[in-house]
């Protein structure tokens, strides 16, 4: 029997890591990995939602609706907000960010608020620097300063989080676009639920329960609403046998492809597209969406 993750031990491990890109990416935050990885994620998402393309391209339909609906995404286990700022916000209208680790979520909140500041309030002496820095200008968070887009920051664990009823987690702030009736957003549901490099901290039982809650939170009026799971893969054992490996350092699980698919099936989810992330440094686990 494989040992299962302990939520508090996982949080305690991440509390020892710096609240930077380098910290959340295990020392790979200053090289090519953040840029290559987020590009792979955006291209994957555009393959599912071609109308989200911001430039004329083979991805984007020729005819666009006159009044397009706002596209709402959830980013769970969000760390310092890297996936929100670099992958989701360039493409969607509104992002809800959830992170349990105090230092990480406070850094995410700081970055979001900095991105929502008007250009005149930006530091005139700021110059672009490596992606491991903790500062952020409005250009890194498109749509926040002009309030055409929004980011909502929540603090809590996936074990206690219900996307449709987020009352067990802590609301920290919403920056950017404000709907006429903010309370209506709570049970609005999501077009996209993005889960990346965090689900290993859930036991199989907790993960299936989270998947079921997330499935219920996908927008009913959007037949293409979906979840994206982007996680490390360990090899299957062969002969159709799934594999799961426990990491004592951060109290997490690395699952094989067959192990993931068995959990998807148990939760009532169907795989509609899958792709291996390309361009990552040699020696890392395979990463698949």
């Amino acid at each position: 029997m494989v040992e299962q993750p302990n939520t508090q031990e996982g949080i305690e491990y991440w509390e020892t890591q710096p609240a930077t890109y380098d910290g959340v990416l295990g020392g790979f935050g200053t090289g090519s990995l953040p840029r290559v990885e987020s590009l792979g994620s955006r291209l994957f998402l555009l393959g599912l939602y071609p109308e989200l393309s911001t430039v004329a391209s083979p991805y984007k339909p020729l005819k666009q609706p006159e009044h397009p609906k706002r596209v709402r995404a959830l980013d769970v286990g969000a760390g310092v907000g890297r996936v929100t700022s670099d992958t989701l916000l360039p493409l969607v209208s509104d992002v809800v960010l959830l992170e349990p680790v105090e230092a990480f979520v406070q850094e995410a909140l700081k970055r979001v608020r900095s991105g929502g500041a008007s250009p005149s309030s930006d530091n005139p002496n700021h110059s672009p620097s490596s992606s491991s820095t903790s500062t952020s200008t409005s250009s890194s968070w498109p749509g926040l300063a002009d309030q055409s887009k929004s980011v909502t920051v929540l603090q809590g664990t996936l074990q206690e989080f219900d996307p449709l009823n987020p009352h067990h987690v802590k609301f920290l702030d919403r920056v950017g676009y404000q709907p006429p009736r903010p309370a209506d957003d709570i049970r609005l549901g999501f077009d996209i639920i993005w889960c990346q490099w965090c689900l290993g901290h859930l036991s199989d039982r907790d993960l299936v329960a989270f998947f079921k809650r997330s499935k219920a939170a996908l927008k009913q009026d959007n037949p293409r609403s979906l979840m994206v799971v982007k996680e490390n893969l360990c090899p299957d054992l062969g002969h159709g046998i799934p594999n799961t490996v426990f990491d004592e350092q951060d109290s997490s699980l690395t699952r094989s492809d067959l192990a993931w698919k068995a959990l998807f099936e148990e939760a009532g989810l169907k795989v509609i597209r899958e792709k291996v992330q390309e361009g990552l440094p040699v020696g890392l686990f395979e990463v698949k969406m």
Side-chain angles (χ1 to χ4, degrees):
M1 183 71 177
V2 177
E3 188 172 349
Q4 296 294 297
N6 180 286
T7 304
Q8 188 55 39
E9 289 179 4
I11 291 175
E12 288 173 0
Y13 167 79
W14 287 109
E15 285 175 341
T16 68
Q17 304 303 304
T20 62
Y21 275 25
D22 216 34
V24 298
L25 291 175
F28 288 93
T30 56
S32 63
L33 187 148
R35 182 176 64 256
V36 170
E37 185 279 322
S38 61
L39 175 61
S41 294
R42 291 197 304 274
L43 290 174
F44 183 78
L45 189 53
L46 285 171
L48 296 162
Y49 275 95
E51 67 272 23
L52 297 180
S53 178
T54 57
V55 297
S57 75
Y59 281 107
K60 192 168 187 176
L62 294 176
K63 291 186 177 181
Q64 294 287 297
E66 185 176 354
H67 301 291
K69 293 183 178 180
R70 299 187 70 83
V71 177
R72 192 165 185 253
L74 172 65
D75 175 15
V76 300
V80 298
R82 184 188 67 87
V83 170
T84 291
S85 65
D86 298 355
T87 298
L88 296 174
L89 199 60
L91 301 178
V92 307
S93 312
D94 306 287
V95 182
V96 176
L97 175 164
L98 175 75
E99 168 57 39
V101 178
E102 176 70 17
F104 289 178
V105 76
Q106 289 300 323
E107 178 62 19
L109 180 62
K110 176 183 173 183
R111 296 180 68 225
V112 170
R113 286 173 172 168
S114 175
S118 63
S120 61
S121 66
D122 284 343
N123 182 355
N125 297 319
H126 175 81
S127 61
S129 55
S130 73
S131 57
S132 65
T133 58
S134 62
T135 56
S136 173
T137 63
S138 58
S139 61
S140 304
W141 298 80
L144 292 191
D146 65 12
Q147 298 193 346
S148 62
K149 299 187 177 191
S150 76
V151 174
T152 300
V153 182
L154 306 177
Q155 183 175 8
T157 67
L158 290 178
Q159 288 86 344
E160 63 186 342
F161 180 60
D162 182 346
L164 273 186
N165 300 282
H167 308 299
H168 295 294
V169 298
K170 184 178 180 182
F171 171 83
L172 298 182
D173 202 358
R174 177 172 178 147
V175 177
Y177 170 78
Q178 303 292 329
R181 296 173 50 172
D184 290 348
D185 267 12
I186 293 178
R187 294 188 58 83
L188 189 60
F190 296 92
D191 300 284
I192 300 160
I193 297 179
W194 193 280
C195 314
Q196 179 169 343
W197 286 332
C198 63
L199 298 183
H201 287 286
L202 276 70
S203 67
D204 289 352
R205 179 180 177 180
D206 286 341
L207 181 55
V208 169
F210 170 70
F211 279 157
K212 289 180 177 179
R213 294 194 300 271
S214 296
K215 181 182 178 183
L218 294 173
K219 281 188 178 179
Q220 299 300 309
D221 62 352
N222 178 6
R224 293 188 298 138
S225 60
L226 52 86
M227 293 179 62
V228 177
V229 172
K230 186 170 186 178
E231 291 283 351
N232 294 344
L233 296 182
C234 64
D236 288 305
L237 294 176
H239 304 290
I241 301 174
N243 187 24
T244 302
V245 178
F246 180 74
D247 187 335
E248 293 184 358
Q249 184 180 38
D250 64 355
S251 190
S252 71
L253 297 174
T254 302
R255 298 175 170 96
S256 69
D257 189 61
L258 289 177
W260 279 110
K261 288 175 178 174
L263 293 169
F264 295 155
E265 184 177 359
E266 186 177 346
L269 299 173
K270 179 177 66 174
V271 178
I272 59 171
R273 183 170 299 187
E274 52 189 311
K275 181 175 177 56
V276 173
Q277 171 69 56
E278 299 175 343
L280 299 184
V282 176
L284 299 181
F285 279 116
E286 181 177 80
V287 176
K288 194 172 186 180
M289 296 172 271

